[in-house]
Amino acid sequence: MKLSRARLALLIGAAGLLLLAAVIVSPMLLISMPSFLSDGGTSPDCNDSKQVEEVSDSGASDIPPDYLGLYKKYGKKIGVQWNILAAVGKRETDHGRSDLPGVKSGTNYAGAAGPMQFLISTWGGKARVPMSSRFTGYASDGDGDGVGDIYNPADAILGAARMLKRNGAPENVRQALFVYNRAWWYVDQVVEIAKKYAKSGDLKVPPQASKECDEPLVEAAPNDIVAKILEYALAQRGKPYLWGGTGPDAFDCSGVIYAAYRAAGLSIPRTTFTQWPFGVKVLEGQEQPGDLVFFNAGPGTGPDRPGHVGLVVSKGKMLEARCRLCGPIKVTSYQARDNRMGFTRPLQNPDVLEQLKKLQNPSL
């Protein structure tokens, strides 16, 4: 069917108006377009199992392949930047290649030893620590032989990763490095080396450390009581650690949990040592939000006497107030910790069950 000239003119005019509208509106569409629809989106991939940072050409040529593998392995496992670990290894002993005293045997003038230059006292009191013994140092077993050997690269690099993590990495890596060696010039040097080892030339924070990777935790709670516990606990993020603190301005590890349960109308023991036997034990893999996860960490702890506790907020994640130098209260991964003792569920304690009944029926 042929179109009349009048109808053809109307169609062309309408098309022109639509094109003009698209030109005018498109900038607004681009501004408001969600990042997941845009190729330029920068939202972190929270489930990305790849390394956050690729190694630069200069890093690949300078770092021995076996050391590079260990830096990446334990950086990922513990949750610190691998290139920071590598930079520490470079600054301390040139990745174990140095022939100075204390690198391969004995200690240096300051009492440090091994490729990552731990103080013997910090490591655990001696150079080789059986992992079955009680100790409060950073001795670690990276090669699975049952011994934390300060001269073994796998053991030493794992220990260094644990120490950096405990003291603020990956978010506050400068603070963590300052604890490692208390000199800001040392921190500057390590950070500069780390940037050169990174392909991007920068020092990035792993995406799992981003708040954007926190699921809608309260909305996903299994019931209203757990939602109240999580709502209070998560609101404390960013506040400082204070030993013995129960808020409102600062907390310790068990104090923030005690206060969160109290905010939901429930009373549980105050300290980590008393919270551990209070809840019903939960098998790993069956934990859920509101449960507690315990760690054999800190002075005076042992196989059945945990010194640290976190509040499970989702599978694999906990809210914790870790230590004064570890940064503020935050959501972290408990799966990255190798000293977990177990999980408990305070909500199944008989006393708490009675409290729940009274909350549901105040006339009882």
Side-chain angles (χ1 to χ4, degrees):
M1 181 177 65
K2 294 184 178 180
L3 295 175
S4 67
R5 290 185 177 181
R7 182 172 293 180
L8 181 61
L10 286 173
L11 288 174
I12 293 173
L17 288 173
L18 287 173
L19 180 61
L20 179 62
V23 170
I24 294 172
V25 174
S26 59
M28 293 300 296
L29 288 174
L30 289 173
I31 292 173
S32 61
M33 182 181 294
S35 60
F36 61 82
L37 294 178
S38 170
D39 290 336
T42 58
S43 297
D45 181 358
C46 303
N47 297 314
D48 187 6
S49 60
K50 299 178 182 178
Q51 288 295 325
V52 174
E53 187 62 75
E54 294 183 32
V55 63
S56 65
D57 291 341
S58 61
S61 64
D62 184 50
I63 306 170
D66 55 341
Y67 271 72
L68 179 58
L70 293 171
Y71 294 138
K72 287 187 173 183
K73 176 181 178 180
Y74 292 120
K76 180 179 179 180
K77 177 179 179 180
I78 302 302
V80 303
Q81 296 94 330
W82 73 262
N83 49 323
I84 282 290
L85 279 174
V88 170
K90 175 66 175 180
R91 177 62 183 76
E92 295 291 351
T93 67
D94 193 20
H95 310 299
R97 291 178 292 214
S98 172
D99 292 323
L100 291 173
V103 177
K104 299 177 177 66
S105 64
T107 63
N108 67 6
Y109 69 94
M116 303 302 280
Q117 289 292 280
F118 271 96
L119 294 174
I120 294 291
S121 58
T122 304
W123 185 253
K126 51 186 177 181
R128 294 176 176 85
V129 180
M131 301 310 295
S132 59
S133 63
R134 288 189 178 188
F135 64 92
T136 57
Y138 287 100
S140 303
D141 182 14
D143 62 357
D145 65 355
V147 176
D149 185 345
I150 203 169
Y151 304 106
N152 181 290
D155 295 355
I157 291 170
L158 174 56
R162 290 176 56 221
M163 184 175 182
L164 291 169
K165 178 72 172 182
R166 176 174 176 79
N167 292 309
E171 298 92 343
N172 196 344
V173 74
R174 289 184 61 84
Q175 174 184 277
L177 288 168
F178 183 78
V179 176
Y180 201 95
N181 189 333
R182 294 180 179 277
W184 287 114
W185 57 262
Y186 173 88
V187 174
D188 292 338
Q189 288 182 4
V190 171
V191 169
E192 189 63 28
I193 295 169
K195 289 181 178 180
K196 291 179 180 177
Y197 280 165
K199 191 171 185 178
S200 68
D202 199 1
L203 185 61
K204 296 182 179 180
V205 176
Q208 292 82 1
S210 171
K211 284 188 177 181
E212 294 179 48
C213 289
D214 289 349
E215 305 96 323
L217 301 170
V218 175
E219 290 83 350
N223 55 57
D224 290 342
I225 288 293
V226 173
K228 290 180 181 179
I229 293 170
L230 297 188
E231 184 175 19
Y232 181 91
L234 292 167
Q236 312 316 308
R237 282 182 293 187
K239 293 184 179 180
Y241 174 93
L242 176 66
W243 188 83
T246 55
D249 300 320
F251 300 83
D252 65 11
C253 63
S254 55
V256 68
I257 295 171
Y258 170 79
Y261 270 77
R262 187 173 57 185
L266 301 173
S267 177
I268 65 171
R270 160 67 185 88
T271 67
T272 303
F273 293 145
T274 53
Q275 287 175 358
W276 169 243
F278 181 78
V280 173
K281 298 295 187 294
V282 177
L283 294 176
E284 183 161 355
Q286 296 181 9
E287 71 273 11
Q288 62 185 30
D291 292 346
L292 309 187
V293 54
F294 293 85
F295 302 87
N296 181 8
T301 65
D304 197 39
R305 187 174 168 81
H308 183 58
V309 62
L311 175 70
V312 176
V313 296
S314 71
K315 189 68 72 174
K317 288 188 175 184
M318 65 178 173
L319 179 127
E320 67 169 342
R322 192 167 185 183
C323 71
R324 185 176 61 84
L325 296 174
C326 301
I329 297 171
K330 56 190 171 184
V331 172
T332 62
S333 168
Y334 58 77
Q335 292 179 329
R337 308 281 178 85
D338 57 2
N339 57 349
R340 286 198 308 276
M341 290 181 59
F343 301 85
T344 71
R345 186 164 297 158
L347 292 175
Q348 290 297 313
N349 178 278
D351 290 343
V352 175
L353 291 174
E354 286 298 317
Q355 295 175 47
L356 289 169
K357 287 181 181 179
K358 291 180 180 179
L359 286 175
Q360 295 167 358
N361 190 350
S363 63
L364 291 177

